[in-house]
Amino acid sequence: MIDVIVAGGGPTGMMLAAELRLHGVHVVVLEREPEPPPFVRSMGLHVRSIEIMDQRGLLDRFLAHGRRHPLAGFFAGIEAPAPERLDTAHGYVLGIPQTITDRLLAEHAAAVGADIRRGAELTGLSQDGDGVTVELADGARLRARYLAGCDGGRSTVRRLLGIGFPGEPARVETLLGEVRVTASPETVAEVVAEVRRTQKRFGLGPLGDGVYRVVVPAAGVAEDRTAPTTLDEVRQQLQEVAGTDFGVHSPRWLSRFGDATRLAERYRDGRVFLAGDAAHVHPPTGGQGLNLGVQDAFNLGWKLAATVRGWAPDGLLDTYQSERHPVAADVLNNTRAQMELMSTEPGPQAVRRLLAELIGFEEVNRHLIEKITALNVRYDFGPGHDLLGRRLRDVRLKHGRLYELTRGGRGLLLDQTGRLDVTGWTDRVDHVVDVSEELDVPAVLLRPDGHVAWAGDDRADLAEHLSRWFGAAN
């Protein structure tokens, strides 16, 4: 029997597979498409995702293919300087096409031993008290202890489970693609600057070698979402919005996306879980979608692995929904707000001008950027230290830095006193005695996802929290 089947080989599925493999879990990834898609829907990683890559030793690979940009203008495209005093060692956005992110995460998952099967479409599933049986389009059957549906907004897994996906259908659509143009770079830049004064859902940006990424509002919502986007549609909408089609030709690819906003009623059904777009869809404003899915996987992976390995405390798997569902609800809320602020109607434009004034206040600017970048996420672990439930930034230690100690995906007790221990949990938790001028607390216990599970110096209290998150002592 397979330990975990992951349905969907996008960034969420590959991140989850890799997290499970860190703990020796047997993982099979089923991806319907025989080849990775060429579409570049996401163009970057936000701070929390950058931290995650650093925590797993992957960041250098991403930095080699990306470009760092200031953390500014990400809330509905309202211009503002990068906020000060962000609680991170990575105060930037990493511009990197999703095609490269997909490839790097797939390479990572394969390198740590995930069994990745492309051209394998899940068409049916059933579950009982011991596992999940999966049916494939070619008639094959697979059996696993658990199944994770990371198969996108039109998730087959979610549909087969009958999990509700309430929300709002798309009201507007946007065309996008990569094309060549005959217009001069100077003309393109001049027209784009003028149009974007009022239409924030428009853009034409150079990718190099004469190719441009085009983004333009569609004429309406397509009745058939599976129908391919045509170059004539793009030309027509460019004329409508910008007064010129820039001589677009020779498209590499064309696509469309809508502003549908939906959140799964539950993230778990017995032995089956939902993550990424299978659990939530929302407008791409702020560039949060891919990041939200990767962070889902980072939360679920160690918990599912702990259950498979047999040391998970009671209720640990249930914390996946209780922690991640509210985070997604907040993202849906802020993307709804951003879409309203990007409307060209007088009312939303008036609210936009008002918010632009408010963003001039440092605290407002920082609050909104922390929301977009997921730095504000704090899971409810109950009363305790202010750090409790928050992820801990990469603090500098006397003998290195924190994230270098988290590569194995285990728990970590960072002990500045040298008087504590993790006896009974050494197979799950590392004990590091070191000091940091940036950490004003005697010791912190980190979960494998980097969130603070305990802070203090009381031995009995530490033991209680070790049991809560890492199960019974040996």
Side-chain angles (χ1 to χ4, degrees):
M1 181 184 286
I2 300 164
D3 288 329
V4 180
I5 291 175
V6 176
T12 301
M14 292 302 185
M15 189 74 208
L16 178 58
E19 286 298 289
L20 291 166
R21 283 299 305 150
L22 285 181
H23 300 273
V25 174
H26 178 202
V27 183
V28 172
V29 179
L30 303 177
E31 169 51 49
R32 179 182 62 186
E33 301 298 331
E35 298 292 337
F39 306 128
V40 184
R41 291 191 178 276
S42 168
M43 288 296 291
L45 296 181
H46 279 309
V47 175
R48 182 56 191 139
S49 297
I50 293 169
E51 291 182 339
I52 286 172
M53 301 310 161
D54 195 8
Q55 285 179 251
R56 293 298 181 260
L58 302 174
L59 184 55
D60 286 346
R61 304 180 203 179
F62 282 83
L63 292 176
H65 293 279
R67 182 178 178 183
R68 304 185 197 196
H69 297 285
L71 274 170
F74 277 93
F75 197 86
I78 297 175
E79 294 185 8
E84 299 177 357
R85 305 189 313 277
L86 282 177
D87 182 34
T88 182
H90 300 283
Y92 55 91
V93 170
L94 185 64
I96 183 170
Q98 183 174 338
T99 48
I100 295 178
T101 296
D102 287 351
R103 175 173 63 82
L104 293 177
L105 289 177
E107 290 174 352
H108 172 53
V112 294
D115 180 354
I116 301 170
R117 305 180 186 180
R118 296 192 180 275
E121 182 180 1
L122 183 152
T123 57
L125 69 88
S126 60
Q127 60 176 316
D128 53 42
D130 298 318
V132 184
T133 299
V134 167
E135 300 172 17
L136 304 185
D138 63 2
R141 287 183 169 225
L142 298 175
R143 179 80 170 158
R145 297 175 66 181
Y146 294 94
L147 168 67
C150 306
D151 51 342
R154 298 184 179 91
S155 170
T156 299
V157 172
R158 188 188 64 238
R159 176 178 57 80
L160 291 172
L161 292 172
I163 293 178
F165 204 38
E168 306 91 50
R171 297 178 301 167
V172 297
E173 283 188 344
T174 304
L175 308 179
L176 76 160
E178 294 179 7
V179 297
R180 293 185 177 275
V181 305
T182 58
S184 69
E186 293 78 15
T187 298
V188 172
E190 181 180 343
V191 174
V192 168
E194 178 62 27
V195 174
R196 280 189 57 82
R197 291 176 60 186
T198 55
Q199 179 51 269
K200 302 301 181 181
R201 290 171 48 223
F202 171 83
L204 202 67
L207 298 175
D209 194 29
V211 177
Y212 282 74
R213 178 180 172 89
V214 60
V215 182
V216 62
V221 177
E223 292 185 13
D224 181 4
R225 296 295 305 280
T226 64
T229 302
T230 67
L231 185 61
D232 283 342
E233 283 183 88
V234 174
R235 286 177 174 146
Q236 181 179 338
Q237 288 310 111
L238 287 172
Q239 285 282 2
E240 179 71 23
V241 175
T244 175
D245 66 8
F246 302 96
V248 295
H249 65 96
S250 306
R252 286 182 175 176
W253 58 267
L254 298 171
S255 185
R256 68 176 70 237
F257 62 86
D259 67 337
T261 306
R262 298 184 181 277
L263 179 61
E265 290 180 338
R266 61 188 187 278
Y267 282 12
R268 179 184 185 184
D269 186 309
R271 290 178 171 267
V272 186
F273 298 83
L274 300 177
D277 288 355
H280 40 69
V281 295
H282 55 83
T285 47
Q288 299 166 87
L290 182 151
N291 294 270
L292 184 61
V294 166
Q295 292 156 29
D296 284 347
F298 206 57
N299 183 284
L300 176 60
W302 72 274
K303 298 173 180 177
L304 196 49
T307 305
V308 170
R309 304 303 292 179
W311 58 259
D314 291 343
L316 182 65
L317 279 180
D318 291 330
T319 67
Y320 169 59
Q321 165 154 340
S322 65
E323 292 174 3
R324 294 305 298 171
H325 198 273
V327 172
D330 187 66
V331 170
L332 266 62
N333 190 56
N334 83 59
T335 54
R336 284 186 181 106
Q338 290 184 77
M339 285 300 292
E340 290 298 320
L341 290 167
M342 296 173 78
S343 167
T344 57
E345 293 297 316
Q349 283 291 304
V351 178
R352 182 184 181 87
R353 289 190 293 271
L354 176 60
L355 185 59
E357 293 179 21
L358 295 176
I359 286 180
F361 292 97
E362 173 68 19
E363 290 302 311
V364 175
N365 188 20
R366 185 157 57 88
H367 175 77
L368 292 177
I369 288 296
E370 287 181 349
K371 185 180 289 291
I372 293 288
T373 59
L375 288 180
N376 71 334
V377 172
R378 183 181 189 181
Y379 301 139
D380 184 7
F381 293 173
H385 193 279
D386 186 57
L387 288 174
L388 196 64
R390 302 183 186 276
R391 100 283 177 263
L392 189 59
R393 72 175 185 276
D394 184 27
V395 299
R396 291 281 176 182
L397 306 172
K398 183 177 181 180
H399 301 292
R401 57 189 185 91
L402 178 64
Y403 284 4
E404 291 173 339
L405 305 173
T406 65
R407 303 287 159 81
R410 291 159 51 88
L412 173 67
L413 175 65
L414 178 57
D415 179 6
Q416 299 197 99
T417 72
R419 299 190 300 270
L420 301 172
D421 66 79
V422 294
T423 302
W425 291 274
T426 54
D427 59 329
R428 289 153 269 174
V429 181
D430 294 325
H431 179 207
V432 175
V433 178
D434 206 340
V435 294
S436 173
E437 295 181 355
E438 302 174 40
L439 193 59
D440 187 23
V441 65
V444 289
L445 176 65
L446 301 183
R447 305 190 316 183
D449 60 0
H451 282 257
V452 178
W454 170 86
D457 58 3
D458 184 273
R459 287 173 174 269
D461 195 33
L462 170 60
E464 181 181 332
H465 283 81
L466 283 165
S467 297
R468 174 182 176 183
W469 293 110
F470 298 99
N474 289 330

